[in-house]
Amino acid sequence: MNKAHPNEYLPERVAVLGATGSVGTQALEVIADKKLPVEFLTAHKNVTLAEEQIRAFMPETYVMTDAASAKDLAVRVRDTATRVFGPDALDEVIRSSKSPTVIHSILGEAGLSPLLSAIEAGKRIGLANKETLVIGGDLLMPRAAACGAKIIPVDSEHSAIFQCLDGKPREEIRSILLTASGGPFYGYSREQLSRVTREQTLAHPTWKMGAKITTDSATLMNKGFEVIEAVRLFGVRPEQIEVLVHRESIIHSAVEYIDSAVIAQLGAPDMRLCVQYALTYPHRLEGLTERLSLTKIGKLTFASPDAEAFPLLALAFRAISLGGGVPAVLNAANEIAVEAFLSEKLSFLGIAETVTQTVERLPEAARARSLEERIAFDRQARRIAQELILHG
Ligand code: MG
């Protein structure tokens, strides 16, 4: 068989959902490095970057999920062979695609419908979107198995756990050590946290990422979502997960087996390694990530998270233990609260207060089974959170 790419461990072509975001652009760096043909890309409304990507990667199709941006992009790239479509075409483009592998890095609940389409098309899915797993991972994982789709986590911690597990059965797992950088406010008291600003929150993240997830890292909500993600992806119980603050971000997570052996995955913090592994699994290829020098790092440190200063982590454990639609409520309320914080309408501590109160107001969400019911609770949670932010 004559393949266009240089290595049999790579897919014949790929697609990237959410191509202009932080993970999407890093995925394209890997794709460029490996000279992989790109079938299609999607983005929301960053037309300037979408145009650059069309000229650099010459995808067959580009979908903009914002209708006006789709029209704008179509005009800009008239001289190319790339077809540009609007939001209505997204699911059909995924379902009819010939790429065996898609990288899914659409942010938020908007990623759910494209994920379902990719699952039903039996794709290998490098999944960077965490909200879909938070909302419905317990329903999506069995559906993926039934459709012959394979979900490979691209979130760095879950990629690490996936690598440490290496297909071992969950009966052999005693616990998962989920590492956390601790965020920019590690060691802060609640009193200190009451004064932190948007600028301080967004300064210098360890990982290259957007404003929403950088804020979630600062509140530890991101780690809470990752606990839920791990429960969904690996079928473990919430109490089997231990969150470990590890400031150096060198150990990306570890698995403790029932014989007390602990297997960890280490490396320089670089999402491109996670993306590449999703493409090459179960094989490995040389890549763009710099080598780890443990002698340069010298020592690695570990601590327990401060549950009092960062209550959203414990709330996430509670939400996944309650199950049903409670994690969806948590996610929706947090999206609204972070949006308000980023537009300076809510304080840093106000994020946790708003999310906690919203979850408390919707205890019946625990009984939501189907995705549809959970989405209905998601909508309700958004309204309640808005209301709390406006009127306290
Ligand atoms: Mg992560």
Side-chain angles (χ1 to χ4, degrees):
M1 201 163 80
N2 196 12
K3 289 185 183 175
H5 59 76
N7 199 298
E8 59 182 320
Y9 296 158
L10 290 165
E12 284 172 47
R13 54 187 141 181
V14 290
V16 181
L17 311 175
T20 56
S22 169
V23 175
T25 52
Q26 294 179 79
L28 283 169
E29 287 177 36
V30 174
I31 288 164
D33 179 58
K34 296 287 173 276
K35 301 183 175 62
L36 280 177
V38 175
E39 185 186 15
F40 70 91
L41 300 174
T42 85
H44 185 49
K45 53 185 191 183
N46 188 341
V47 174
T48 309
L49 186 50
E51 179 181 355
E52 276 174 39
Q53 292 177 340
I54 287 175
R55 298 195 186 281
F57 293 93
M58 298 177 288
E60 290 167 30
T61 303
Y62 207 116
V63 179
M64 294 302 278
T65 54
D66 173 65
S69 305
K71 281 190 190 140
D72 184 5
L73 182 65
V75 173
R76 290 193 195 207
V77 300
R78 272 191 297 223
D79 60 314
T80 71
T82 301
R83 297 167 306 170
V84 177
F85 293 116
D88 299 342
L90 180 61
D91 288 306
E92 184 48 35
V93 166
I94 297 168
R95 273 191 226 112
S96 61
S97 117
K98 299 195 173 58
S99 297
T101 303
V102 300
I103 300 298
H104 182 317
S105 55
I106 294 175
L107 193 72
E109 186 249 306
L112 188 57
S113 165
L115 177 59
L116 280 167
S117 298
I119 286 174
E120 267 142 36
K123 305 286 185 199
R124 171 187 286 209
I125 304 157
L127 186 61
N129 170 297
K130 51 186 74 181
E131 293 84 356
T132 52
L133 288 173
V134 170
I135 295 168
D138 52 331
L139 306 171
L140 295 164
M141 294 303 286
R143 202 180 295 189
C147 295
K150 176 105 184 136
I151 292 178
I152 302 182
V154 169
D155 198 350
S156 64
E157 293 80 359
H158 304 82
S159 172
I161 297 163
F162 184 79
Q163 292 176 58
C164 296
L165 282 173
D166 199 26
K168 301 276 191 309
R170 70 170 170 228
E171 297 73 44
E172 293 181 16
I173 306 170
R174 180 180 291 151
S175 70
I176 285 177
L177 304 175
L178 186 70
T179 53
S181 76
F185 308 131
Y186 174 68
Y188 277 41
S189 65
R190 279 189 70 79
E191 206 270 318
Q192 285 170 300
L193 288 174
S194 70
R195 292 189 304 265
V196 305
T197 64
R198 179 184 188 277
E199 270 56 50
Q200 286 171 292
T201 305
L202 297 184
H204 316 300
T206 312
W207 296 83
K208 219 168 111 189
M209 52 197 185
K212 161 72 166 54
I213 187 167
T214 301
T215 307
D216 288 343
S217 298
T219 61
L220 295 198
M221 184 74 269
N222 181 57
K223 207 47 60 180
F225 289 147
E226 290 183 353
V227 168
I228 299 173
E229 255 186 285
V231 169
R232 300 309 201 200
L233 280 166
F234 307 115
V236 294
R237 297 185 308 277
E239 55 275 19
Q240 283 178 284
I241 299 176
E242 182 187 350
V243 175
L244 203 56
V245 175
H246 167 51
R247 300 291 286 160
E248 297 81 8
S249 293
I250 296 300
I251 296 185
H252 301 313
S253 278
V255 174
E256 182 198 12
Y257 285 97
I258 47 178
D259 61 359
S260 301
V262 177
I263 309 286
Q265 190 258 345
L266 289 74
D270 186 341
M271 288 303 296
R272 295 175 303 182
L273 191 151
C274 309
V275 171
Q276 180 172 305
Y277 192 67
L279 296 175
T280 63
Y281 164 82
H283 304 285
R284 291 183 187 272
L285 288 178
E286 283 191 27
L288 297 165
T289 302
E290 67 172 271
R291 291 180 65 189
L292 184 62
S293 168
L294 284 173
T295 49
K296 225 184 261 170
I297 295 156
K299 65 173 183 185
L300 301 175
T301 61
F302 307 94
S304 296
D306 181 345
E308 200 201 328
F310 301 98
L312 288 174
L313 182 58
L315 186 62
F317 272 101
R318 211 171 91 208
I320 184 67
S321 299
L322 291 167
V326 182
V329 167
L330 181 78
N331 172 62
N334 182 64
E335 252 179 65
I336 297 299
V338 171
E339 213 174 87
F341 171 72
L342 290 174
S343 52
E344 297 179 315
K345 292 184 185 111
L346 187 66
S347 70
F348 185 82
L349 289 179
I351 299 173
E353 279 160 28
T354 303
V355 176
T356 306
Q357 286 187 41
T358 307
V359 170
E360 278 166 5
R361 286 204 195 176
L362 289 170
E364 66 274 26
R367 290 192 298 272
R369 290 284 154 257
S370 68
L371 281 174
E372 292 70 22
E373 286 173 88
R374 294 181 193 182
I375 296 298
F377 275 108
D378 168 295
R379 298 294 179 269
Q380 235 183 307
R382 283 169 203 269
R383 281 194 298 274
I384 292 171
Q386 293 280 19
E387 190 67 18
L388 286 167
I389 291 162
L390 276 174
H391 304 115

